[in-house]
């Protein structure tokens, strides 16, 4: 089954020597797509916490959906962690739009291996 997708590709150099591109999807199966910003601070564990921020992956607009997300935390106490997961379903906002709840645990890292808990709500759709 073919699903029509529209979007655009941007060359990404991001400071390393590999050649890569980023794909920005603008419609999926004829429906416009959207993303959400998310950010927060992890739990305080092993004597420190981390900040994080990113955008969810695109999802179709106008239908019930979830978003996948991933980002790297700030560099604290000599290390970072990865955050990745799937949001909960969309939660309507009173004046239009919606947001999503997310939560989880970072990857294990650090001189004394540990993880951090995180949770929050995304922004309204972008």
């Amino acid at each position: 089954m073919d699903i029509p997708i529209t979007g655009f590709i941007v060359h990404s150099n991001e400071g390393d020597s590999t050649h890569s591109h980023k794909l920005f999807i603008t419609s999926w199966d004829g429906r416009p797509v959207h993303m959400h910003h998310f950010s927060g601070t992890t739990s305080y564990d092993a004597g420190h916490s981390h900040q994080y921020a990113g955008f969810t992956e695109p999802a179709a607009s106008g239908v019930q959906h979830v978003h996948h997300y991933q980002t790297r935390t700030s560099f604290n106490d000599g290390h970072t962690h990865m955050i990745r997961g799937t949001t909960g379903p969309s939660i309507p906002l009173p004046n239009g739009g919606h947001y999503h709840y997310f939560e989880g645990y970072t990857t294990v890292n650090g001189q004394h291996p540990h993880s951090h808990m995180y949770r929050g709500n995304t922004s309204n759709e972008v």
Side-chain angles (χ1 to χ4, degrees):
M1 170 164 93
D2 292 337
I3 297 174
I5 300 170
T6 60
F8 57 94
I9 296 175
V10 176
H11 173 72
S12 176
N13 206 356
E14 298 194 0
D16 62 27
S17 62
T18 60
H19 178 88
S20 65
H21 296 87
K22 287 190 175 187
L23 172 62
F24 293 91
I25 298 172
T26 57
S27 76
W28 182 273
D29 201 16
R31 294 187 177 108
V33 297
H34 69 281
M35 301 181 301
H36 299 266
H37 180 260
F38 66 95
S39 63
T41 302
T42 66
S43 60
Y44 187 84
D45 296 290
H48 66 282
S49 62
H50 297 267
Q51 271 78 52
Y52 60 89
F55 284 92
T56 64
E57 292 181 0
S61 297
V63 295
Q64 187 55 271
H65 63 280
V66 296
H67 294 266
H68 300 289
Y69 61 88
Q70 70 176 24
T71 193
R72 185 172 296 281
T73 67
S74 59
F75 183 82
N76 293 11
D77 199 39
H79 65 278
T80 64
H81 297 270
M82 286 300 297
I83 288 176
R84 66 175 57 96
T86 304
T87 67
S90 59
I91 303 166
L93 288 165
N95 295 325
H98 67 276
Y99 67 96
H100 298 263
Y101 178 74
F102 63 92
E103 69 178 352
Y105 287 89
T106 67
T107 55
V108 174
N109 206 347
Q111 184 178 6
H112 303 286
H114 64 281
S115 66
H116 299 268
M117 193 270 185
Y118 64 89
R119 72 172 138 228
N121 294 319
T122 68
S123 69
N124 195 353
E125 54 196 287
V126 178

